[in-house]
Amino acid sequence: MSGIRVLVPVKRVIDYAVKPRVNKAQTAVETQGVKHSMNPFDELSIEEAVRLRERKKPVEDILAFSAGPTKSQDILRTAMAMGADRGIHVVEEKQELEPLHVAKVLQKVVEEENRNLVILGKQSIDDDAGQTGQMLAGLLGWSQATQASKVEIEGDECTVTREVDGGVETLKAKLPMVITTDLRLNEPRYASLPNIMKAKKKPLVKKKMEEYGIDLTQRLKTVKVTEPPTRQGGGKVEDVDGMISKLKELGAL
Amino acid sequence: MAPPNPLRHEVIRVYKQLLYMGREYPLGYDYFRPRLHKAFSAKADLQDEAEIRKGLEQAEYVKKEIEALYYLKRYRALKQRYE
C-alpha cells in the first residue's frame, strides 16, 4: 500500500462577510481595498487532508497550491498553518484565471509532484463556477467524487458519501482520485497566531505561469454584473377578506 | 522591585493571541480590543500562581469560544447562501 500524496488547491477570494460591490462599469465586483481570505470550501479541503493524516492514514505529504496575484501567498500561509506541509504558488498578476486554466495548471502540478489525491473546494464563493474539480478529473482521467460530506480511505479504496436530494449517496473508487468538498464535510480549524508563525518556516515555492506553458485565452465573457434587486417590503392585511382579495389581485387564487 | 513573575510571558502570549483573533471580531476590532484590555488589566494585580493559572485557563476557554463563534458564523452564512 503506497502513501497518499495530497494536493489541495486553494483560492484567494473576497471574504465571505464582506458585501461585494459592483464597479461602475458593471463588468466585475470591486476588489481594491476589500478584505480577502481563503475560500471557505478550500478550508474544508485542507482540513480533510489534515484529518486524514490525524486518523493515521498513510498521508505522506500535503501540498497546498494557489494561482493568482502575490497576495495569494497569505492564503497559502494560512493553509500551511492549518496543516499543509508545503506550498506552490503560481504567480499570475494580470489576468483573471478561468476554471479551465486552473484545471490545466493543476494537471501539470499533479504530474510533476506525483500526487494521487486531489481535494478541492466544490466551488469558490466569488465566481461560483464549481467546475475546476470536475475539469481536472476529466483532464487526468481519474475518478471523481464531488461534494463529499464524508470521506473514508482504506488502503487505496476510497468511500465518499454525498448528500443528494432525499438522502445520501455512497461512492466507492480507487485512488488516484479527485474529491470536492461540501459544506458539512468537517469543521475547519482556526489558523492560530502561533501556527501562522510556524507556517512561515515551511517551504513555499514560487513559479511563473509561463513555466507551465498554458494557453490563457479567455473563453468566458462577462456580459454584465448587477446588484440583485432590492427586496420589496411586505404589506399587512386587515382580515380574511382582505387577504383573499389581495391573493386574487396577485393571481394566486 | 519584585522579580518578574515567571508566568508573565505566558500571559503576554495569550493576550497577543487573543488580540490577533480579535481582528476578525464581528463587532469590530475597536469593540474587541478595549474590552480585552480591560479584562486583562482587571486581573493585573494577581500575585498568587494558582490564581494566575486560573486566569490563563479562562483565556484559553475564551479563545476556544471565539474560534467556535467564527466557525459557526461562517457556516451559517454559507448554509444560508448555498442551501
Side-chain angles (χ1 to χ4, degrees), chain A residues 105-123:
Chain A
V105 177
L106 286 172
Q107 183 194 9
K108 301 244 163 157
V109 173
V110 164
E111 283 159 6
E112 270 171 26
E113 299 281 341
N114 189 22
R115 301 286 108 182
N116 57 7
L117 178 65
V118 187
I119 310 180
L120 306 93
K122 67 167 176 173
Q123 62 188 179

Side-chain angles (χ1 to χ4, degrees), chain A residues 4-21:
Chain A
I4 308 169
R5 296 173 301 278
V6 196
L7 173 65
V8 188
V10 294
K11 186 174 185 182
R12 177 176 175 266
V13 297
I14 294 178
D15 190 80
Y16 81 96
V18 175
K19 191 172 181 294
R21 240 195 283 265

Side-chain angles (χ1 to χ4, degrees), chain A:
Chain A
M1 192 178 69
S2 62
I4 308 169
R5 296 173 301 278
V6 196
L7 173 65
V8 188
V10 294
K11 186 174 185 182
R12 177 176 175 266
V13 297
I14 294 178
D15 190 80
Y16 81 96
V18 175
K19 191 172 181 294
R21 240 195 283 265
V22 176
N23 67 5
K24 283 221 178 68
Q26 296 200 323
T27 49
V29 170
E30 285 287 354
T31 51
Q32 292 289 326
V34 176
K35 188 189 169 203
H36 282 66
S37 52
M38 192 197 297
N39 178 29
F41 290 108
D42 298 341
E43 288 188 357
L44 291 155
S45 38
I46 294 269
E47 178 68 27
E48 192 58 25
V50 176
R51 285 194 186 191
L52 282 177
R53 170 177 282 162
E54 285 170 355
R55 290 207 303 260
K56 306 272 182 256
K57 303 292 174 197
V59 177
E60 265 176 36
D61 180 39
I62 302 172
L63 172 63
F65 164 95
S66 190
T70 316
K71 281 179 183 158
S72 307
Q73 282 180 23
D74 301 345
I75 305 305
L76 281 172
R77 291 282 170 216
T78 315
M80 289 190 273
M82 289 172 74
D85 299 311
R86 55 203 182 92
I88 293 188
H89 178 219
V90 176
V91 188
E92 175 56 53
E93 296 284 356
K94 290 168 285 229
Q95 201 185 329
E96 274 289 305
L97 296 169
E98 289 176 5
L100 185 61
H101 303 149
V102 180
K104 282 180 176 167
V105 177
L106 286 172
Q107 183 194 9
K108 301 244 163 157
V109 173
V110 164
E111 283 159 6
E112 270 171 26
E113 299 281 341
N114 189 22
R115 301 286 108 182
N116 57 7
L117 178 65
V118 187
I119 310 180
L120 306 93
K122 67 167 176 173
Q123 62 188 179
S124 64
I125 61 165
D126 53 357
D127 59 17
D128 285 316
Q131 299 166 352
T132 312
Q134 290 88 328
M135 284 178 174
L136 176 64
L139 288 171
L140 290 164
W142 288 7
S143 319
Q144 59 172 319
T146 55
Q147 299 173 19
S149 65
K150 196 176 171 207
V151 175
E152 280 295 333
I153 295 184
E154 276 314 323
D156 63 349
E157 187 125 299
C158 186
T159 312
V160 173
T161 311
R162 27 195 330 255
E163 287 173 13
V164 291
D165 283 344
V168 291
E169 184 178 276
T170 311
L171 300 175
K172 227 180 221 178
K174 281 213 161 87
L175 294 177
M177 71 181 298
V178 174
I179 296 174
T180 71
T181 59
D182 202 358
L183 189 55
R184 263 186 291 280
L185 180 60
N186 56 39
E187 291 120 49
R189 67 198 61 192
Y190 185 80
S192 67
L193 185 57
N195 284 340
I196 287 189
M197 290 305 170
K198 278 181 217 153
K200 290 193 175 164
K201 294 198 185 84
K202 292 186 178 176
L204 176 71
V205 181
K206 250 203 255 181
K207 294 211 169 179
K208 286 210 185 74
M209 198 45 126
E210 295 85 59
E211 289 174 40
Y212 292 94
I214 282 160
D215 173 25
L216 288 182
T217 24
Q218 301 278 12
R219 288 162 176 258
L220 305 171
K221 190 177 149 209
T222 306
V223 181
K224 198 178 172 191
V225 181
T226 52
E227 303 262 356
T230 45
R231 188 178 167 276
Q232 306 286 324
K236 268 191 178 170
V237 288
E238 287 295 321
D239 48 22
V240 177
D241 291 341
M243 186 172 82
I244 289 170
S245 63
K246 197 91 184 171
L247 284 171
K248 275 193 177 136
E249 208 177 287
L250 294 166
L253 284 180

